[in-house]
Amino acid sequence: MSLSNNRTLDILAKAEAGGYGVVAQTCYDAGMAKGLVRAAERSNSPAILQLFPITLAAGGGPFLQYCLTLAHNASVPISVHLDHATDPEHLELSIGLAEKGIKFDSIMVDASHADTEEENIAIAVPYIKRCVAAGVATEVELGRLEGGEAGLREITGGMLTDPENAEHFMEETGAHILAPSYGNLHGSYKFIGGPKYRLEILKDLQKRFKGRIPYVCAHGTDELPDQLWRDLVESGVSKFNINSWARDPYCETLSKGLASKPFPDSEEEAIEAFAKVCDRFFKLLGSAGKA
């Protein structure tokens, strides 16, 4: 199946050409998904609604279909992406649903736990071929990020991406989005004295791939100062994975509200708290008004 009209790739192509970044916000429930869409529409911004495998496993096809319907019927371009599909059962679930017609716009086929790049390629390629056949774009990780997120395996032994290997890696995998390792990590940077990014890795990738696939994705964005987000955009990053920045205010607002208010009122306040964080990042990354 052709990927010529793939939502994720279309959103990222326009972002790269326009020199702005796209929020790929992780959503754990229907309220968070509503918050992202609400913010994107009022900011007139493209966006990516992102799920973790544990959320897909819990909600299955019905929840994925809900997210697809919500995103694809928005007044602005929004795609639905599966982040860090690493374990075979999660890859089989997501690709199996795609083959039945309930499909993510894009899936991260994450084999970065492999011992070598060649093993990474060997694990990823069969799944990527099935994704492409179903019209689903794919993201891969070259190098290895340390840390872990909700429901994901904890990774140790981080490895920086070697830009000289990137072209071979992307050609061999046939993937469309690259998640490089440049000193970023999943989780908190406070234990290492703050982020220590090697932006020259991103700038090298930008020179090699500007104007063509792959598009570059930033993982591990917790606790970053505003200027570093701008530096990442200038270094060629188009897709920005965001998780706890909006998740935590949503959960805190919902919990506080439920102590004294009916659930619908508490949920509405939580959705708006989530949406306001998304609004901030649309402005920071320059995508507001670009839909």
Side-chain angles (χ1 to χ4, degrees), residues 7 19 44 48 71 76 89 110 151 153 160 162 202 204 288:
R7 278 178 175 259
N44 193 32
I48 297 173
V76 294
E89 58 265 35
D110 183 4
R153 67 178 74 187
L160 294 176
D162 183 347
L202 295 173
D204 192 333

Side-chain angles (χ1 to χ4, degrees), residues 8 22 33 69 98 105-106 132 159 188 204 215 232 238 244 253 255 287:
T8 297
V22 175
T69 301
D105 296 296
S106 48
V132 172
M159 296 187 299
S188 177
D204 192 333
Y215 306 112
L232 289 168
S238 299
S244 62
T253 303
S255 178
S287 68

Side-chain angles (χ1 to χ4, degrees), residues 226-242:
D226 285 1
Q227 185 56 49
L228 192 47
W229 294 84
R230 300 185 188 100
D231 292 342
L232 289 168
V233 173
E234 291 178 4
S235 299
V237 176
S238 299
K239 177 176 179 279
F240 287 80
N241 288 7
I242 300 175

